[in-house]
């Protein structure tokens, strides 16, 4: 039996979110899933299982403009939900108080009212500034069949709702055996200038990443500058670092497809992880990892998972010493392997729904 599922998420060539989609579609192969993205990403995501709706096509934009003028929900959330029995919000950071969030919530409410069941899988909540934001989303979560957060802080905000629960991040449940490591250091970078709060740290952050690259090159490592998300500026920062160093042992890797990106990461002995899922994947792949913490979602998860290894807040990045960090990485610790099993509980409610519709 082929099920029709609409999936709301961030589908713009970001490795973390792309892992979510890859894990979901492989777990539920007898399904057709619908996602919303831009035309330039159609070829990346379109498969026999995944149907892509492009919000920047001419017809979609015209219809959507009319719907917005009439204060109606967006086209995707109205039309796609009519052909689907189930909706899934599948994203790590989907509920942030930014931009036209009330319009976004209007779309999610419209979707949830039209399908039989709505699931929220693998997310955290925030950042937010107002109690109104929390209260309005509490009403939405109360409409859902199941809401599974990935960290304690978000769970605590809504724990009085019976359908709200918590499990470790989806990617911790990725079934990928660690491979023999090569003498490679991966630098997972971000563009601090994309955030008003982080922008002041961009010069010292870049300089520290350059220092790390040069330090490991001097130890005869190969260095991979890894862009998880070109749209969010990672690739641009990789190029800036490479231009400063000018060494043919430096590779710039820009994520395009999940399998190639995971293979590249799995070769690395060491991962200096600014991206959240560089940290998570490093633990899964048994690499030596130092997280560079740029958001509360990282610090919350580090605390929740009981990670006792070294990490550094990006605000303190200037104080990080390459030699001392390298010494600490030689005795780096990951997280308990039991968490890899518990992470699969993110899907437990949807698994039950899947079995129910099979009967």
């Amino acid at each position: 039996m082929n099920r029709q599922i609409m999936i709301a998420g961030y589908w713009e060539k970001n490795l973390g979110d792309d892992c979510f989609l890859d894990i979901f579609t492989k777990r539920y192969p007898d399904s057709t899933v619908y996602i919303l993205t831009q035309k330039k990403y159609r070829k990346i995501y379109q498969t026999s299982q995944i149907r892509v709706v492009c919000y920047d096509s001419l017809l979609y934009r015209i219809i959507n403009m009319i719907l917005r003028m009439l204060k109606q929900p967006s086209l995707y959330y109205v039309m796609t939900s009519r052909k689907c029995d189930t909706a899934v919000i599948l994203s790590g950071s989907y509920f942030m108080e930014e931009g036209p969030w009330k319009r976004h919530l209007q779309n999610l409410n419209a979707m949830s009212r039209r399908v039989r069941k709505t699931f929220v899988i693998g997310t955290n909540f925030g950042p937010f500034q107002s109690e109104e934001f929390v209260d309005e989303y509490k009403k939405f979560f109360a409409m859902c069949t199941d809401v599974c957060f990935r960290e304690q802080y978000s769970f605590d905000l809504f724990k009085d709702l019976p359908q709200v629960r918590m499990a470790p991040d989806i990617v911790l449940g990725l079934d990928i055996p660690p491979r023999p490591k090569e003498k490679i250091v991966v630098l997972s970078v971000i563009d601090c200038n994309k955030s008003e709060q982080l922008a002041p740290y961009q010069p010292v952050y870049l300089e520290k990443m350059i220092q790390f690259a040069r330090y490991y090159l001097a130890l005869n490592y190969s260095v991979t500058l890894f862009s998880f998300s070109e749209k969010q500026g990672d690739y641009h920062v990789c190029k800036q670092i490479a231009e400063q160093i000018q060494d043919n042992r430096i590779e710039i890797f820009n994520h395009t497809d999940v399998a190639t990106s995971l293979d590249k990461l799995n070769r690395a002995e060491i991962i200096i992880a600014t991206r959240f899922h560089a940290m998570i994947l490093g633990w899964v792949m048994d690499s030596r990892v130092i997280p560079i913490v740029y958001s509360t979602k990282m610090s919350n998860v580090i605390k929740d998972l009981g990670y006792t290894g070294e990490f550094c807040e990006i605000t303190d990045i200037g104080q990080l010493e390459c030699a001392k960090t390298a010494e600490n990485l030689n005795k780096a610790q990951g997280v308990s392997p039991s968490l890899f099993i518990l992470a699969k509980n993110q899907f437990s409610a949807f698994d039950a729904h899947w079995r129910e519709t099979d009967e």
Side-chain angles (χ1 to χ4, degrees):
M1 176 182 175
N2 189 278
R3 270 64 62 95
Q4 310 288 307
I5 305 167
M6 65 181 298
I7 299 183
Y10 182 82
W11 316 122
E12 298 191 351
K13 210 175 70 166
N14 175 290
L15 178 54
D17 291 285
D18 290 353
C19 282
F20 280 22
L21 187 61
D22 187 65
I23 292 167
F24 186 91
T25 52
K26 287 176 178 175
R27 192 177 184 92
Y28 309 107
D30 296 327
S31 64
T32 299
V33 302
Y34 297 84
I35 67 170
L36 182 68
T37 186
Q38 299 180 60
K39 288 187 291 185
K40 65 182 179 180
Y41 300 126
R42 180 191 289 275
K43 289 184 180 179
I44 292 174
Y45 291 108
Q46 185 90 34
T47 68
S48 59
Q49 187 180 4
I50 300 172
R51 301 286 184 267
V52 175
V53 179
C54 299
Y55 63 78
D56 57 345
S57 67
L58 180 60
L59 181 59
Y60 188 100
R61 285 190 290 118
I62 291 171
I63 296 173
N64 228 32
M65 181 176 63
I66 295 169
L67 289 172
R68 192 177 295 111
M69 290 171 59
L70 296 173
K71 298 184 178 179
Q72 296 298 308
S74 298
L75 183 63
Y76 172 75
Y77 298 91
V78 175
M79 295 304 295
T80 308
S81 59
R82 289 179 178 174
K83 66 178 77 173
C84 295
D85 174 74
T86 309
V88 177
I89 297 171
L90 185 70
S91 179
S93 300
Y94 198 71
F95 305 107
M96 296 182 286
E97 189 174 0
E98 60 181 18
W101 68 264
K102 290 185 179 180
R103 171 76 176 168
H104 184 56
L105 182 57
Q106 179 192 31
N107 289 332
L108 296 181
N109 282 326
M111 174 186 75
S112 191
R113 284 194 296 266
R114 285 171 170 81
V115 298
R116 191 166 66 90
K117 291 186 177 183
T118 301
F119 296 83
V120 179
I121 300 176
T123 194
N124 49 259
F125 190 84
F128 62 89
Q129 295 80 44
S130 69
E131 287 302 315
E132 180 190 13
F133 185 78
V134 178
D135 291 342
E136 291 301 314
Y137 266 104
K138 188 170 187 178
K139 295 174 188 175
F140 170 70
F141 293 145
M143 296 168 57
C144 297
T145 303
D146 183 76
V147 178
C148 192
F149 290 111
R150 66 181 179 186
E151 33 114 273
Q152 187 73 40
Y153 173 79
S154 298
F155 170 78
D156 286 342
L157 288 170
F158 304 100
K159 62 184 178 182
D160 56 326
L161 294 175
Q163 60 269 74
V164 167
R165 56 193 183 86
M166 184 180 76
D169 185 80
I170 289 170
V171 176
L172 277 172
L174 191 66
D175 293 318
I176 178 169
R179 59 173 294 162
K181 303 305 178 188
E182 300 173 24
K183 203 169 182 181
I184 297 171
V185 175
V186 162
L187 297 183
S188 154
V189 302
I190 63 168
D191 185 354
C192 297
N193 286 329
K194 294 291 184 180
S195 161
E196 184 178 341
Q197 290 75 29
L198 297 179
Y201 302 101
Q202 178 79 341
V204 67
Y205 173 74
L206 278 177
E207 180 57 34
K208 189 57 64 176
M209 293 301 105
I210 290 167
Q211 287 178 19
F212 269 116
R214 286 178 170 152
Y215 178 85
Y216 280 105
L217 287 170
L219 295 177
N220 294 315
Y221 279 81
S222 297
V223 173
T224 299
L225 303 173
F226 203 113
S227 166
F228 269 56
S229 172
E230 182 174 357
K231 182 175 181 180
Q232 294 176 348
D234 298 17
Y235 184 59
H236 172 68
V237 171
C238 288
K239 290 194 295 182
Q240 284 184 298
I241 294 170
E243 286 167 5
Q244 288 293 316
I245 299 173
Q246 297 289 320
D247 191 302
N248 60 15
R249 290 171 296 168
I250 286 187
E251 174 192 15
I252 295 177
F253 183 86
N254 191 26
H255 163 65
T256 300
D257 71 274
V258 170
T260 305
S261 295
L262 293 185
D263 182 69
K264 177 67 66 173
L265 282 171
N266 208 2
R267 297 170 184 266
E269 180 184 318
I270 295 167
I271 299 177
I272 298 173
T274 318
R275 281 285 169 202
F276 177 88
H277 278 109
M279 173 183 75
I280 297 291
L281 286 165
W283 292 337
V284 170
M285 295 169 174
D286 202 26
S287 298
R288 288 184 273 147
V289 181
I290 175 166
I292 308 298
V293 178
Y294 75 95
S295 68
T296 54
K297 71 179 180 183
M298 288 184 77
S299 53
N300 287 343
V301 165
I302 285 171
K303 178 182 176 182
D304 290 346
L305 299 184
Y307 175 70
T308 58
E310 183 183 15
F311 65 91
C312 177
E313 299 282 347
I314 201 167
T315 52
D316 300 324
I317 190 74
Q319 301 172 28
L320 203 60
E321 298 178 16
C322 295
K324 185 177 179 181
T325 298
E327 182 182 342
N328 289 335
L329 278 168
N330 287 331
K331 50 189 177 184
Q333 300 179 18
V335 295
S336 170
S338 64
L339 295 167
F340 303 156
I341 299 170
L342 290 173
K344 296 180 187 297
N345 287 335
Q346 284 281 351
F347 296 104
S348 59
F350 198 87
D351 285 346
H353 164 68
W354 192 259
R355 289 190 297 268
E356 173 190 298
T357 54
D358 252 348
E359 294 172 356

